[in-house]
Amino acid sequence: MNTLFDKIWDRHVVQIVKDGPTQLYIDRLYGHEVTTPQAFDGLRKRGLKVFRPKQNFFMPDHNIQTHDQDKPIADPVGRFQVDTLDKNCDEFGLTEFKMNTEDNGIIHVVGPEKALSLPGMTIVCGDSHTSTHGAVGAVAFGIGTSEVEMVLASQCILQQKPKSMRINVNGKLKSGVTAKDVALYLMSQLTTSGATGYFVEYAGDVVRDMTMDGRLTLCNLSIEMGARGGFVAPDETTFEYLKGREYAPKGADWDKAVAYWKTLKSGDDAVFDKELTFNAEDIEPRITYGTNPGMGIGINGTIPTLDEIPEAEQAGFMKSLKYMGFEPGEKLLGHPIDYVFLGACTNGRIEDFRAFANVVKGHKKADNVVAWLVPGSHLVAKQIKDEGLDKVLEAAGFVIRQPGCSACLAMNDDKIPAGKYSVSTSNRNFEGRQGPGSRTILASPLVAAAAALTGKITDPRTL
């Protein structure tokens, strides 16, 4: 024991139900328009108010369009969900970063960048990628709508304590290899169920060397290994990132907070339920070939052959390849693509746009490619302009859209047409995830940029 996860979890235990779950105190609840309406309805039916409204923050992000945001949402269902969130937050006196305001964006991008997510916190949201916030050293995980209601009413939740896992990635990443590639590599090694029942602490040379944007990407994808969540122990990189941000402690409170945050680390004698170690040198830029994020290969690799797949998994493997239009043993380097998406709570931060711009600078987008470049927040959009990245991208033939979840999932206007191939920096490649019949290839911003220039899957290290 004596892990960082134990320290944060135990500090938030209100009581333990005999032969049952733990009542856990929650420091921060986030909410968006898709998973909150029934929770608020439940409060009304029971005549309850929100217990601690100042600890809860909301914003629409899934349904909002990434163009003409000053106009109403065209889809009536999406518009109704956003309108309902507005009404619920107004009625219950909650802070909402509304659509078409400078505070809006993707909730998992805005939370950390405003320092609403802080080390040592417990953080929940009705969204599986809440694990993103673990990058600041918090225990963050997704919950269901009924649990959202529970937190609104009591600022607590009933949870079984997960087991602990530490994943070490040691060595130094090769040129062109990003945090996204690290995450895709880990998923291919563990599979999408390999971390089920665990909360993962990421550690090792590579993680220590990662920027906060990189750590946010890594933690975002924890859920895709089946983990309850993932996090990184806070360090000087964390403190430097948070200092001076809108909701960060100020003055003496900052010094006091940092003194506490420095205690948030696993002890030298910490015992994990499971510990794994990987070598950075084994990781190259990666792409997925199937319909779950664990079905991935190095960009110069080949899709496994049938005899490399366990017999019990062969039917699902072949079904996935049929959907994607690929064959066992096929090499995907050079395969034509149609769309490129840069964005999502996985790769919609300023560092991702810097990386993309660095590849496309001085080149031109392929004529056959439709590219959607979507910042994760209005702050990211401002940084893009302030750094002149917008000029670089526009000169290369790209248009920067307005913030939102966009083509990560088919709940707004940005949908990939059936049968088309999308190289996407988002987090999931499920059947129909980016639109009915769409075919998604997950990749890093560097691989996405290379594909956008060449119109095919390309190793960015060759450009």
Side-chain angles (χ1 to χ4, degrees):
M1 307 303 283
N2 197 24
T3 69
L4 174 54
F5 177 73
D6 291 323
K7 291 178 181 179
I8 298 176
W9 180 277
D10 293 347
R11 197 168 189 262
H12 289 79
V13 170
V14 178
Q15 63 175 326
I16 298 174
V17 179
K18 186 179 180 181
D19 299 324
T22 299
Q23 183 184 13
L24 195 71
Y25 184 78
I26 299 301
D27 294 303
R28 182 78 71 225
L29 167 70
Y30 294 119
H32 54 67
E33 74 273 29
V34 179
T35 58
T36 58
Q38 297 92 334
F40 285 109
D41 285 344
L43 293 183
R44 288 190 193 93
K45 288 176 182 176
R46 295 195 289 161
L48 298 175
K49 295 180 180 180
V50 176
F51 181 51
R52 291 193 169 165
K54 290 185 179 180
Q55 292 177 228
N56 307 318
F57 291 81
F58 299 80
M59 74 183 71
D61 55 10
H62 283 54
N63 287 299
I64 64 179
Q65 69 267 29
T66 59
H67 58 89
D68 300 323
Q69 286 187 353
D70 56 330
K71 297 179 182 178
I73 296 172
D75 175 52
V77 175
R79 186 170 66 251
F80 178 73
Q81 286 188 323
V82 171
D83 289 346
T84 300
L85 180 64
D86 292 346
K87 291 174 183 175
N88 284 332
C89 289
D90 289 344
E91 178 184 342
F92 287 91
L94 299 167
T95 300
E96 181 194 3
F97 300 138
K98 294 189 177 184
M99 179 179 168
N100 204 29
T101 67
E102 290 187 358
D103 292 316
N104 184 249
I106 303 173
I107 202 159
H108 302 315
V109 175
V110 174
E113 75 179 15
K114 283 185 174 292
L116 284 166
S117 303
L118 296 172
M121 278 187 166
T122 49
I123 300 171
V124 296
C125 176
D127 186 283
S128 57
H129 293 105
T130 308
S131 57
T132 308
H133 305 266
V136 303
V139 168
F141 52 93
I143 58 175
T145 298
S146 61
E147 293 171 309
V148 172
E149 180 183 345
M150 188 186 303
V151 177
L152 287 170
S154 67
Q155 209 59 41
C156 292
I157 193 170
L158 296 176
Q159 286 283 295
Q160 295 284 354
K161 185 178 180 180
K163 293 180 289 185
S164 62
M165 177 190 294
R166 182 160 62 188
I167 295 179
N168 306 289
V169 187
N170 290 323
K172 189 172 179 60
L173 294 177
K174 293 181 287 190
S175 176
V177 179
T178 71
K180 181 65 166 288
D181 299 305
V182 173
L184 290 173
Y185 175 79
L186 293 177
M187 281 184 268
S188 71
Q189 298 300 301
L190 272 76
T191 77
T192 52
S193 61
T196 300
Y198 291 91
F199 213 96
V200 176
E201 178 178 345
Y202 297 104
D205 306 326
V206 168
V207 178
R208 279 192 297 273
D209 290 343
M210 275 185 188
T211 62
M212 279 303 300
D213 281 4
R215 294 176 185 183
L216 287 158
T217 295
L218 179 63
C219 291
N220 174 271
L221 289 156
S222 303
I223 189 70
E224 309 307 340
M225 299 185 296
R228 195 71 184 92
F231 69 122
V232 177
D235 56 15
E236 292 300 327
T237 299
T238 318
F239 311 149
E240 185 63 30
Y241 173 86
L242 293 171
K243 190 174 184 179
R245 292 183 183 267
E246 186 176 351
Y247 287 88
K250 304 293 191 297
D253 288 338
W254 170 260
D255 295 335
K256 182 179 178 182
V258 171
Y260 165 59
W261 295 342
K262 286 182 176 179
T263 70
L264 296 176
K265 55 186 176 182
S266 293
D268 293 338
D269 59 345
V271 177
F272 293 82
D273 294 301
K274 190 171 187 179
E275 186 157 13
L276 301 171
T277 299
F278 299 93
N279 294 318
E281 292 77 9
D282 295 335
I283 308 173
E284 65 173 327
R286 297 189 66 82
I287 51 175
T288 59
Y289 61 83
T291 55
N292 73 57
M295 300 178 76
I297 54 175
I299 196 161
N300 293 295
T302 56
I303 296 173
T305 56
L306 200 57
D307 58 9
E308 295 177 85
I309 304 298
E311 187 174 352
E313 300 172 17
Q314 289 180 0
F317 172 77
M318 291 305 297
K319 178 177 180 290
S320 180
L321 290 192
K322 182 178 180 181
Y323 179 86
M324 291 297 294
F326 296 146
E327 296 291 336
E330 184 179 353
K331 193 177 181 71
L332 296 186
L333 197 68
H335 192 285
I337 60 99
D338 307 290
Y339 283 74
V340 165
F341 170 51
L342 173 68
C345 58
T346 315
N347 284 119
R349 298 175 183 84
I350 187 61
E351 199 172 90
D352 304 309
F353 280 81
R354 289 172 186 153
F356 193 99
N358 191 50
V359 173
V360 305
K361 186 176 183 179
H363 300 281
K364 287 288 184 182
K365 180 182 73 65
D367 291 338
N368 65 301
V369 172
V370 175
W372 291 329
L373 277 55
V374 187
S377 71
H378 283 275
L379 176 60
V380 174
K382 181 178 184 299
Q383 289 174 303
I384 290 170
K385 289 188 176 181
D386 289 347
E387 296 181 17
L389 299 180
D390 57 330
K391 302 295 188 223
V392 173
L393 294 166
E394 288 163 10
F398 297 93
V399 175
I400 301 167
R401 299 170 81 89
Q402 292 171 293
C405 288
S406 186
C408 177
L409 75 176
M411 294 186 72
N412 52 71
D413 293 348
D414 300 346
K415 294 180 174 66
I416 308 299
K420 299 296 184 182
Y421 287 97
S422 165
V423 174
S424 176
T425 66
S426 53
N427 40 51
R428 285 181 175 161
N429 53 345
F430 301 159
E431 290 188 19
R433 169 76 176 183
Q434 292 192 286
S438 61
R439 294 163 163 172
T440 300
I441 298 163
L442 298 179
S444 75
L446 296 179
V447 173
L453 293 179
T454 61
K456 57 190 178 183
I457 296 174
T458 301
D459 188 336
R461 298 172 296 185
T462 64
L463 297 180

